[in-house]
Amino acid sequence: GIKEKVSVSLSFFVCLCFEILLLMEPAWLQSTFESFCAFGDRGAAPLLDNAKFAKFARDTKIIGAPVTGTDVDLVFAKVKGKGERKINYAQFKEALVLLSAKKFGSAPDAYSKLLALVERSNAPASTGTVAESGGILDKLTDTSLYTGAHKERFDGSGQGRGLAGRDSVAKGGGVVSRAGAGGVSDLSQITRSNLKKGPTSLSGATKAAASPGSVTSGVASLRVTEEAKAEETSEPAAPRPARSPARSPARSTEETDQSGGSEASSLDSVFASFCSFGDRSNSTLMDNAKFVKLARDCRLLDSKLTQTDVDLIFSKVKPKTERKIEYHHFLEGLKQMSAKKYPSKTPDEALRAVTALVLQNGAPSATGTSKTSATGIFSKLTDSSQYTGAHKERFDSNGQGRGLAGRESVGKGGGGGHTGYHGGNVSDLSQITRSNLRK
């Protein structure tokens, strides 16, 4: 009974201490809570989620031996309501009490020490991108580097002089070293000397008070005059040389020896013929399908060099992100195919053997529609030996047409060589038709 009374008394004492600690809150604590709630979302309600609570513990240096980020997450999960994802201000204060016990143990002033940490950094820290110093922006905004009229618009401390800085040059009061005591009559007075190209002084008529319209017309006439002089003094442009047609990359001496020296049977001509197969405008680029066709038409494929091997070789020799290869990539592909096809031979012997097969073929084969069947209906219709009657008379024994003679032989009833016809006019079709057609 005594133990139960002691435990109840201790529980009551802990609750009383907790209530006292909550009553000891400083005035700034709620504003700190609200500032972390509004971080990243100024219109948010005064509720703190787990991420912002972890940021609060991190920015206020609460996280650190012996408190870890996991401890902060566990405290948040303990004080938040069931099924809720955010905590209010009262739950926030309860979390601070738990964190103070975790951070400073059972010290009497643990809560006060925690509040001291929070007070030192009572606002969320923003770690955004910092502009690079010494970059182009600094150079463009450094007024100490300005010259001429731009420099006169700022004072020594870099502050703008306002209207006074804008008027100093416009009135020609002598602020610029080349400006006279009066108004500016020539742009050369307020421009850099290295921009002067030849005489820039204006005529006496121009130096007089001129209207904006007259100045504009004078500049236009000066431009037209200069263009006319340039056309008179310039020599006629030499005709541009005609562009040579596109050619495949130059081959080395070794490649020329391998090709046998014949242009018709050289490797580059074979390469160009396969490139232009199906696209006559292309003779310098070969895609994967045509590379495989070359290997198939040149009888390079076998049990050692399969179509899959050819596809993999094409992927190795082609440039990255490209879908076609050029002539020098094609040569590298032949080397790799020769090593795959003839592994027992030396690299030079294998390459010569593959090159010989490629040159032996010379051009892509067209596998189009097969030849007409010799026993089909077309052959029967065009076989003149099977013709009878008037149609037979139009062809000789070799199947050649007899022309007009063949057309007239039956029409005149002259015999025409029919076994069932005995001369005279044809009075019945049975005289010049086959006997087996009679019913």
Side-chain angles (χ1 to χ4, degrees):
I2 297 176
K3 292 182 179 180
E4 292 180 357
K5 291 180 181 180
V6 171
S7 62
V8 170
S9 300
L10 288 175
S11 300
F12 177 76
F13 179 74
V14 170
C15 293
L16 182 62
C17 291
F18 179 73
E19 294 294 335
I20 294 174
L21 289 175
L22 293 181
L23 293 174
M24 290 172 56
E25 70 172 77
W28 50 263
L29 185 59
Q30 185 168 0
S31 62
T32 300
F33 170 78
E34 293 175 351
S35 66
F36 277 94
C37 291
F39 182 75
D41 185 6
R42 296 187 180 279
L47 296 173
L48 202 63
D49 60 15
N50 193 9
K52 293 180 181 178
F53 184 69
K55 176 177 176 59
F56 161 78
R58 193 167 48 249
D59 291 353
T60 55
K61 308 299 186 206
I62 294 177
I63 293 181
V67 179
T68 64
T70 304
D71 296 328
V72 173
D73 293 337
L74 292 175
V75 168
F76 181 86
K78 185 179 293 187
V79 300
K80 75 179 183 66
K82 187 176 182 179
E84 299 293 334
R85 302 183 63 182
K86 297 181 179 181
I87 60 175
N88 55 27
Y89 181 58
Q91 294 167 331
F92 170 73
K93 291 188 293 183
E94 183 180 353
L96 291 183
V97 174
L98 297 176
L99 287 175
S100 65
K102 184 71 177 177
K103 182 77 173 175
F104 301 104
S106 58
D109 58 345
Y111 188 70
S112 300
K113 290 181 178 179
L114 187 79
L115 291 181
L117 287 178
V118 175
E119 187 178 9
R120 276 197 287 268
S121 55
N122 59 359
S126 178
T127 56
T129 304
V130 180
E132 180 184 3
S133 60
I136 185 64
L137 181 63
D138 292 342
K139 294 180 180 180
L140 291 176
T141 55
D142 186 1
T143 58
S144 64
L145 301 176
Y146 293 175
T147 58
H150 304 288
K151 185 176 183 179
E152 297 299 325
R153 296 176 61 181
F154 299 89
D155 58 19
S157 61
Q159 299 296 322
R161 297 179 58 199
L163 190 60
R166 294 178 182 272
D167 287 347
S168 60
V169 173
K171 292 182 178 180
V175 176
V176 181
S177 59
R178 287 187 297 274
V184 178
S185 58
D186 189 348
L187 289 178
S188 62
Q189 294 177 276
I190 56 173
T191 55
R192 290 178 293 173
S193 58
N194 58 356
L195 296 180
K196 297 179 181 180
K197 308 281 186 176
T200 56
S201 60
L202 304 178
S203 60
T206 309
K207 289 183 180 180
S211 63
S214 62
V215 173
T216 304
S217 61
V219 172
S221 62
L222 178 61
R223 184 182 303 164
V224 172
T225 304
E226 291 179 352
E227 291 178 355
K229 290 181 179 179
E231 291 178 357
E232 292 176 359
T233 57
S234 62
E235 298 179 358
R240 297 177 61 183
R243 296 178 60 183
S244 58
R247 300 184 62 183
S248 60
R251 298 176 299 154
S252 63
T253 306
E254 180 182 354
E255 296 160 4
T256 307
D257 295 339
Q258 293 171 358
S259 67
S262 174
E263 183 65 26
S265 61
S266 60
L267 280 177
D268 56 354
S269 64
V270 174
F271 173 79
S273 64
F274 276 92
C275 290
S276 60
F277 182 75
D279 183 8
R280 297 186 180 278
S281 61
N282 173 33
S283 62
T284 58
L285 295 175
M286 178 181 289
D287 58 17
N288 191 12
K290 293 178 180 178
F291 188 69
V292 173
K293 178 176 176 59
L294 180 141
R296 185 171 51 247
D297 291 355
C298 296
R299 304 183 184 278
L300 300 180
L301 300 181
D302 55 13
S303 59
K304 296 181 180 178
L305 180 65
T306 64
Q307 181 172 333
T308 303
D309 295 328
V310 176
D311 291 334
L312 293 175
I313 290 173
F314 182 86
S315 300
K316 290 180 181 179
V317 300
K318 76 177 182 67
K320 191 175 182 180
T321 71
E322 296 294 334
R323 301 183 63 183
K324 297 182 179 182
I325 60 174
E326 297 180 356
Y327 181 67
H328 59 284
H329 303 129
F330 166 71
L331 295 179
E332 179 62 26
L334 287 183
K335 292 180 181 179
Q336 296 192 22
M337 285 194 294
S338 64
K340 187 74 175 177
K341 186 174 178 63
Y342 302 110
S344 60
K345 295 183 179 182
T346 63
D348 293 339
E349 292 175 349
L351 182 58
R352 281 196 293 269
V354 168
T355 303
L357 289 175
V358 174
L359 296 178
Q360 184 178 355
N361 181 79
S365 61
T367 54
T369 306
S370 59
K371 294 183 178 179
T372 306
S373 173
T375 59
I377 185 62
F378 184 76
S379 62
K380 294 180 180 179
L381 292 175
T382 55
D383 186 2
S384 60
S385 64
Q386 298 185 20
Y387 293 173
T388 59
H391 302 289
K392 184 176 182 179
E393 295 300 325
R394 295 176 63 181
F395 298 89
D396 58 18
S397 59
N398 296 325
Q400 299 296 324
R402 296 177 58 197
L404 190 59
R407 293 176 182 274
E408 293 180 348
S409 59
V410 174
K412 292 182 177 179
H418 295 285
T419 56
Y421 181 67
H422 304 286
N425 293 327
V426 177
S427 59
D428 188 352
L429 287 177
S430 62
Q431 295 177 272
I432 56 174
T433 56
R434 290 180 291 175
S435 58
N436 61 359
L437 295 181
R438 298 176 185 174
K439 300 287 185 177

